[in-house]
Amino acid sequence: IDDIRELNRKFSLSSADNSYKVCIVDTTEDLNISASNSLLKILEEPPKNTLFILVSNNHQAILPTILSRCQKVGFQRLNEKDLRDICASLVKKNQIEQSIYTDAVAVCEGSVRKLLNFLDKDYIKIFNSMKTLILDLPNLNKRKAITLLSENKDYLSNSDPDKSAFGILLRLLSSLAKKELTLKIDTERAYDDIALIAAHLYSQISLLRYESLKYNLEPKKAVFLALNTIELAFAKHKKK
């Protein structure tokens, strides 16, 4: 919220040559409610000669009122050749095994940021383990998830949002919302419902992550609360 307020202050100042000011807001879906509302106020009455570019991998998690004031521009994922060229330079520099980068290219969904994560052996192991647990919804083994993270404590409080337990959960929820992952409970009728639930959960878990950092909540408790929230959201799909 402080960053958005500072942005508002800076953009209210006129440039000396009357040129345009451009602001890029990356991962807009990660903004908490207060920051989102503050950004919305700027977009409702934008300063003269300003351009805001909001980047998002999950537009379902952005306030509808913000989306209504934007023009959507879709970007193509990088093709396999471009990704392999990027990998080749990284492999040469960091001596990464070719088998690892081949797998990374296959699962990164055209994203360089995901590609870099999947070149990390430890990240791949944790991500795949969490993915297996999430794909078992509506049955979620929270104890197994907490045990897994307790054995890899760096992922409970990692300062890198992508390489934290919350970051992994949000990535998996985003994939569910975009129908890139399929749950065992998927039926033709439930397919859209699951995507909608995942999109709403993305917003809830994003807010929970922000609140846990703001109020210095113990990481393990925060992640357990997130897992409990996810399980409850899918409870209606449990077999009776």
Side-chain angles (χ1 to χ4, degrees):
I1 180 64
D2 292 334
D3 290 336
I4 297 296
R5 287 172 178 165
E6 177 63 13
L7 177 68
N8 191 22
R9 185 191 69 80
K10 288 183 177 180
F11 270 59
S12 65
L13 303 174
S14 300
S15 56
D17 58 358
N18 203 34
S19 59
Y20 266 80
K21 294 179 181 178
V22 179
C23 172
I24 299 176
V25 183
D26 196 10
T27 57
T28 309
E29 65 271 21
D30 286 345
L31 293 177
N32 60 59
I33 297 300
S34 297
S36 293
N37 285 328
S38 184
L39 176 61
L40 176 60
K41 290 181 180 179
I42 301 176
L43 298 179
E44 287 175 336
E45 296 182 19
K48 184 180 179 182
N49 290 347
T50 57
L51 176 63
F52 290 86
I53 301 175
L54 310 185
V55 182
S56 172
N57 292 314
N58 184 26
H59 69 271
Q60 297 98 326
I62 301 175
L63 287 180
T65 43
I66 289 180
L67 291 176
S68 67
R69 287 164 175 78
C70 299
Q71 179 179 349
K72 183 179 177 181
V73 179
F75 289 88
Q76 296 290 331
R77 298 175 178 181
L78 290 182
N79 59 45
E80 186 173 325
K81 181 182 181 304
D82 290 334
L83 291 169
R84 289 190 178 279
D85 287 343
I86 293 171
C87 265
S89 62
L90 293 172
V91 169
K92 186 177 181 180
K93 184 183 297 184
N94 300 305
Q95 297 182 332
I96 300 171
E97 296 176 21
Q98 184 171 347
S99 60
I100 294 177
Y101 95 69
T102 299
D103 291 339
V105 169
V107 298
C108 73
E109 302 169 352
S111 166
V112 174
R113 187 166 70 174
K114 291 181 181 180
L115 174 66
L116 295 176
N117 284 334
F118 282 115
L119 289 174
D120 183 330
K121 291 182 180 180
D122 292 334
Y123 178 85
I124 295 172
K125 181 180 177 181
I126 297 295
F127 181 87
N128 286 336
S129 296
M130 292 297 290
K131 179 180 177 180
T132 298
L133 290 171
I134 291 295
L135 288 179
D136 201 34
L137 282 166
N139 301 303
L140 182 59
N141 192 330
K142 298 190 292 292
R143 178 174 294 182
K144 188 173 181 179
I146 291 298
T147 299
L148 172 68
L149 293 169
S150 295
E151 293 172 352
N152 299 271
K153 293 182 179 179
D154 288 345
Y155 286 85
L156 281 172
S157 55
N158 199 310
S159 58
D160 183 342
D162 278 337
K163 290 191 173 182
S164 66
F166 272 107
I168 291 173
L169 286 174
L170 288 171
R171 175 163 292 178
L172 291 169
L173 288 172
S174 175
S175 294
L176 280 174
K178 292 185 285 188
K179 303 179 182 179
E180 294 172 344
L181 291 179
T182 303
L183 300 183
K184 297 175 182 178
I185 59 174
D186 276 0
T187 63
E188 187 173 346
R189 186 176 66 178
Y191 195 63
D192 290 333
D193 186 43
I194 290 169
L196 185 60
I197 291 173
H200 285 307
L201 276 172
Y202 190 101
S203 297
Q204 289 179 270
I205 303 305
S206 293
L207 179 59
L208 177 57
R209 177 174 65 176
Y210 168 78
E211 296 291 347
S212 67
L213 293 173
K214 180 179 179 181
Y215 297 107
N216 199 28
L217 187 64
E218 201 274 316
K220 186 183 292 186
K221 291 181 179 178
V223 173
F224 185 84
L225 182 56
L227 292 169
N228 197 51
T229 301
I230 293 171
E231 184 181 40
L232 288 174
F234 283 97
K236 70 177 184 178
H237 288 289
K238 278 190 175 182
K239 293 181 179 181
K240 298 182 179 179

